[in-house]
Amino acid sequence: MSDTAPAAPQFADLGLPAPLLDALNSLGYETPSPIQAEAIPTLLAGHDLLGLAQTGTGKTAAFALPLLACIEPSMRATQALILTPTRELALQVAEALQRYAQNLRGFTVLALYGGSAFAPQFKALERGVQVVVATPGRLTDHLRRGTLKLQELKYLVLDEADEMLKMGFADDLEMVFDEVPDDCQRALFSATMPPGVRNVAHKHLHEPKEIRLHSGAKSSLDTITQKVWEVANHHKLDAMTRLLEVEPVDAMIVFVRTKTASMELAERLEARGFAAAALNGDLSQQLREQVVERLKRGQLDIVVATDVAARGLDVERITHVLNYDLPHDSESYVHRIGRTGRAGRQGT
């Protein structure tokens, strides 16, 4: 009788087209976060969505990937609009969209925010962009001037809606809803659900599916000592070698972003005399289990892993977790470092 837990969903299980899956693979994404696993199929099915999720849970990919699956790159009209409270978040979301759309020929995205010149934005809008990421104030400026047309809009996202309302953008949001087509699909994400956000959702979303993420992961961090060591990229391996010489490491998980990096770093550590092995999504389930079993038995001291190993891996020996590459979001970070300091034990 087997007591193995059901396999976590993979991006390939969520209904995304091949060009997006290829992009995610090249970026080192392997396992969707909980918000992605729930939101992506919901949005691909055409439902409006109300998502209660903190910053850092991976929600950008949760709305960006279905959006990219639905737009038509050959059509230059604006087909998707994403509203964010700040310039920094607008730029961050626009950059994420470019990464995910690396295999979509002809794709364009434009960030619109206050404090920047109008002229370059006018030119870009005249040429035509499929996706606009904007702060509410600058967006309504363009709507009043008639420089942004939303007749072809298929997809509207409000990211961090609670922050936008706190910053006094309620009237701007109402103007946007007045301008978008009635049949436009809508998604609203918010870290909290105050009455203002609930009212916007009730008034402007059509029978939305509701997703709530309860993040309890952070409570386990009390037993984990966190340290940061700033080094240049080309000095990482030497720094790690020195760290292994001075830290009282029993067993360590080292996290990298890509499958290739996991293989390369494991080989380089082996060449330096460490008992190391890679753990990534290219290994069969049987080989993965063998690596974990060797770690448990003390035949391995270092496992170099991608985020696929960050979920569910529980080995008592792990005293240290090293983020050799930084994760894409804070939720991944929490899951990664939670591989140590388990069941009340201390970890670093």
Side-chain angles (χ1 to χ4, degrees):
M1 182 176 151
S2 171
D3 60 355
T4 53
Q10 302 297 302
F11 281 106
D13 304 327
L14 303 182
L16 291 166
L20 295 179
L21 292 174
D22 290 344
L24 290 172
N25 192 45
S26 74
L27 291 166
Y29 283 54
E30 290 188 333
T31 309
S33 71
I35 188 75
Q36 291 161 3
E38 287 198 60
I40 289 171
T42 300
L43 290 168
L44 286 173
H47 299 290
D48 281 12
L49 177 67
L50 177 58
L52 195 63
Q54 301 287 335
T55 298
T57 50
K59 62 183 165 57
T60 300
F63 61 72
L65 292 167
L67 173 161
L68 290 169
C70 295
I71 66 157
E72 182 51 66
S74 63
M75 194 169 98
R76 303 301 290 179
T78 300
Q79 300 162 56
L81 173 62
I82 301 162
L83 283 173
T84 69
T86 64
R87 162 194 174 142
E88 290 74 24
L89 186 55
L91 288 167
Q92 191 179 310
V93 170
E95 286 164 7
L97 280 158
Q98 283 178 318
R99 288 197 301 272
Y100 304 145
Q102 61 187 249
N103 300 321
L104 302 181
R105 290 188 64 182
F107 172 77
T108 51
V109 58
L110 176 66
L112 298 176
Y113 46 84
S116 58
F118 271 102
Q121 297 178 359
F122 292 151
K123 281 184 183 169
L125 290 168
E126 265 181 15
R127 283 194 298 270
V129 290
Q130 288 102 4
V131 181
V132 169
V133 188
T135 53
R138 180 51 64 100
L139 178 71
T140 51
D141 283 344
H142 279 283
L143 291 176
R144 287 190 189 98
R145 292 166 186 243
T147 46
L148 175 62
K149 307 283 194 293
L150 300 180
Q151 295 93 322
E152 302 295 332
L153 203 73
K154 300 178 189 174
Y155 201 96
L156 173 67
V157 179
L158 268 62
D159 191 12
E160 300 196 2
D162 50 350
E163 288 301 314
M164 286 193 274
L165 291 178
K166 269 188 215 166
M167 293 165 73
F169 288 128
D171 290 344
D172 298 272
L173 296 184
E174 286 297 321
M175 180 181 175
V176 172
F177 281 115
D178 286 344
E179 292 281 334
V180 301
D182 288 339
D183 60 354
C184 169
Q185 187 180 1
R186 295 134 194 245
L188 185 155
F189 289 88
S190 189
T192 59
M193 199 58 70
V197 173
R198 179 65 69 184
N199 290 343
V200 170
H202 180 72
K203 185 176 177 184
H204 296 293
L205 302 188
H206 309 306
E207 298 179 4
K209 302 284 183 185
E210 193 164 323
I211 296 174
R212 286 173 174 263
L213 278 195
H214 300 289
S215 178
K218 291 186 172 59
S219 60
S220 65
L221 302 189
D222 299 341
T223 58
I224 300 172
T225 302
Q226 299 181 60
K227 301 178 182 180
V228 64
W229 196 355
E230 290 188 36
V231 294
N233 195 51
H234 55 283
H235 290 149
K236 276 187 188 179
L237 183 58
D238 289 337
M240 180 182 172
T241 304
R242 287 201 297 279
L243 184 142
L244 288 165
E245 287 165 355
V246 298
E247 278 282 319
V249 174
D250 185 5
M252 176 186 274
I253 301 288
V254 180
F255 281 102
V256 293
R257 277 208 183 132
T258 66
K259 300 169 193 174
T260 306
S262 70
M263 305 294 287
E264 288 176 355
L265 183 57
E267 286 171 5
R268 294 175 77 184
L269 287 167
E270 277 190 296
R272 292 184 179 216
F274 298 104
L279 188 66
N280 62 51
D282 277 353
L283 300 180
S284 66
Q285 188 59 36
Q286 184 182 4
L287 284 173
R288 282 195 228 173
E289 287 169 6
Q290 284 176 9
V291 170
V292 174
E293 194 56 37
R294 289 172 64 204
L295 185 68
K296 285 179 178 175
R297 289 181 180 172
Q299 297 165 340
L300 281 177
D301 297 327
I302 302 170
V303 168
V304 185
T306 56
D307 280 316
V308 72
R311 300 183 187 278
L313 184 66
D314 191 357
V315 177
E316 276 193 33
R317 285 188 62 221
I318 298 171
T319 53
H320 288 67
V321 171
L322 177 66
N323 285 289
Y324 195 84
D325 295 331
L326 287 176
H328 290 287
D329 53 61
S330 61
E331 187 200 49
S332 297
Y333 176 80
V334 170
H335 275 285
R336 284 178 177 192
I337 70 170
R339 299 311 98 207
T340 186
R342 301 181 76 76
R345 295 186 292 273
Q346 297 298 308
T348 303

